[in-house]
Amino acid sequence: MPNKPNLDRNRHAPSIGTDLGLAARYLQQGLPVGMPTETVYGMAANALDAEAVARVFKAKKRPDFDPLIVHIGPNSPFREWVREIPTEAEALMAAFWPGPLTLLLPKTERIPDLVTSGLDRVGLRMPSHLMALALLDMLDFPLAAPSANLFGYISPTKARHVREAFGPELPYVLDGGDCEVGLESTIVGFEDGKARVYRRGGIESSALARVLGYLPEERIRSEEHPAAPGMLSRHYAPRTPLSILKSDQPWPELGSNVALILPLAEAHPNHANVWVLSQNNDPYEAARKWYACLREADQAGFSQIFVRMLPEHLPFADALNDKFVRAAAAP
Ligand code: TXA
Ligand code: MG
């Protein structure tokens, strides 16, 4: 059969590469594919096919109460998959799509309940990564794609992070280079006619406010009924104990086997193992490098990792500090 990938061969040799045609064929057959986006890598599957989506939950060991974001391209007929789009959502789409913004909108029956964990709303996002857009354009269905990590672990920002985490259950990973944003999409929903932030991420609240005309409130966090598991207090976490230092907190007494992650350059105890995320003091660069650095530090066998928070007035401080706190939260 001309257009079928050799599934048997690939089952034994899960692969990584830039073959969009091969990725599309796996997806058309209901198998998941690792997909680059500008935020983090996703594990993509046909969002209109519940069986394909179930394979993603299984591969990630993801609990079924945790819904998936549905990725669309510029030509996707996404209006068929939602019942209504508030005016403010239209304005946010016009301003930030393609880009790191997910909108929660009431779904139609075309979106299987498994995708939304039975919730009435579906999270839609149009990624800006060119490879993701090209892939979406080759398909006649949207792609449900959670971050391509095992549930709860550090999100992947490089193709090899994805390849290393999964075996034959993920036959192919599209390599689109390092993710440019490095933090997940911001999630916005609408309640009582007002936009609310459900998860901080790649689009800052101040940028949303410029479009909305008001600063959106954050949806209260609840451990029992997380409206978004990005809201669970521990998430995206390393296995090594991680401690937070406030932006102005002096250095504590440090043991010998510790790692320090500093988002910006600063004077630090010189016997420590130090990563500076941005020597140029650029919070965006720090965000881009955070997950990969945390992963490297986590795998290096330190007894403890410290991370310095960003001063609150800096751009991206909200989103990045939020990730630090969640990664550090006790299990
Ligand atoms: O940047 C991103 O959003 C990345 C890339 C791959 O696009 N995806 C991502 O997916 O971060 P995931 O599954 O790791 O996180 C998605 C978050 C979860 O916390 C989930 O609960 C929330 O989005 N979410 C998805 N659909 C939802 C819905 N219908 N209602 C409430 N929360 C939803
Ligand atoms: Mg995730």
Side-chain angles (χ1 to χ4, degrees):
M1 240 179 264
N3 268 343
K4 283 210 161 180
N6 183 339
L7 295 182
D8 284 344
R9 191 198 61 209
N10 283 287
R11 220 159 245 148
H12 298 295
S15 57
I16 186 164
T18 55
D19 187 340
L20 283 163
L22 181 61
R25 291 196 294 277
Y26 278 121
L27 291 164
Q28 281 152 350
Q29 294 185 16
L31 294 171
V33 162
M35 171 175 77
T37 83
E38 75 281 20
T39 59
V40 300
Y41 273 76
M43 186 188 288
N46 179 351
L48 304 182
D49 174 355
E51 274 179 43
V53 172
R55 291 191 183 103
V56 170
F57 276 96
K58 188 163 174 230
K60 271 188 59 102
K61 301 192 169 58
R62 182 174 177 115
D64 60 9
F65 61 75
D66 189 359
L68 308 187
I69 291 173
V70 173
H71 296 67
I72 60 173
N75 298 315
S76 299
F78 69 93
R79 287 166 203 278
E80 292 171 17
W81 305 323
V82 295
R83 297 198 305 278
E84 61 166 296
I85 304 180
T87 320
E88 290 188 346
E90 296 276 8
L92 293 174
M93 282 175 197
F96 300 113
W97 278 5
L101 177 71
T102 294
L103 296 171
L104 301 178
L105 299 169
K107 77 175 191 74
T108 62
E109 281 172 10
R110 287 288 285 144
I111 303 289
D113 288 336
L114 182 62
V115 171
T116 63
S117 302
L119 297 173
D120 183 50
R121 292 188 293 187
V122 58
L124 287 186
R125 136 166 154 83
M126 191 185 295
S128 64
H129 195 293
L130 292 179
M131 214 176 221
L133 289 172
L135 180 64
L136 283 157
D137 220 35
M138 295 167 78
L139 302 168
D140 58 4
F141 47 80
L143 292 172
S147 53
N149 48 322
L150 287 168
F151 183 70
Y153 193 59
I154 304 166
S155 296
T157 54
K158 296 174 188 284
R160 74 174 157 77
H161 296 161
V162 184
R163 191 61 285 166
E164 283 162 13
F166 300 98
E169 69 278 20
L170 186 68
Y172 195 63
V173 179
L174 265 179
D175 188 346
D178 292 3
C179 298
E180 267 175 36
V181 177
L183 298 183
E184 288 85 348
S185 61
T186 297
I187 301 181
V188 171
F190 301 87
E191 277 162 38
D192 309 323
K194 286 275 179 205
R196 303 277 171 96
V197 174
Y198 282 70
R199 178 176 74 181
R200 293 178 188 168
I203 302 284
E204 291 157 83
S205 290
S206 55
L208 298 174
R210 283 196 286 279
V211 174
L212 296 167
Y214 60 91
L215 193 67
E217 274 176 33
E218 292 199 8
R219 181 69 208 283
I220 297 122
R221 289 141 209 250
S222 149
E223 288 289 286
E224 279 147 44
H225 300 288
M231 296 163 74
L232 289 172
S233 56
R234 180 181 169 82
H235 210 65
Y236 322 113
R239 299 186 178 100
T240 314
L242 175 71
S243 304
I244 300 276
L245 293 171
K246 302 245 164 67
S247 61
D248 55 359
Q249 194 177 334
W251 287 106
E253 196 71 35
L254 296 175
S256 57
N257 191 29
V258 300
L260 312 180
I261 302 181
L262 306 175
L264 313 177
E266 67 170 289
H268 50 75
N270 51 20
H271 67 276
N273 306 281
V274 182
W275 277 267
V276 177
L277 299 179
S278 175
Q279 292 287 0
N280 302 322
N281 293 332
D282 171 2
Y284 297 100
E285 183 184 14
R288 190 153 63 234
K289 295 192 173 157
W290 157 243
Y291 281 135
C293 179
L294 181 63
R295 191 178 275 262
E296 202 181 316
D298 192 31
Q299 290 168 1
F302 295 107
S303 55
Q304 196 176 10
I305 304 171
F306 286 89
V307 61
R308 172 76 82 192
M309 288 174 84
L310 284 173
E312 273 164 30
H313 67 273
L314 291 182
F316 249 31
D318 274 8
L320 199 47
N321 286 342
D322 187 66
K323 303 292 178 204
F324 295 165
V325 170
R326 286 175 202 286

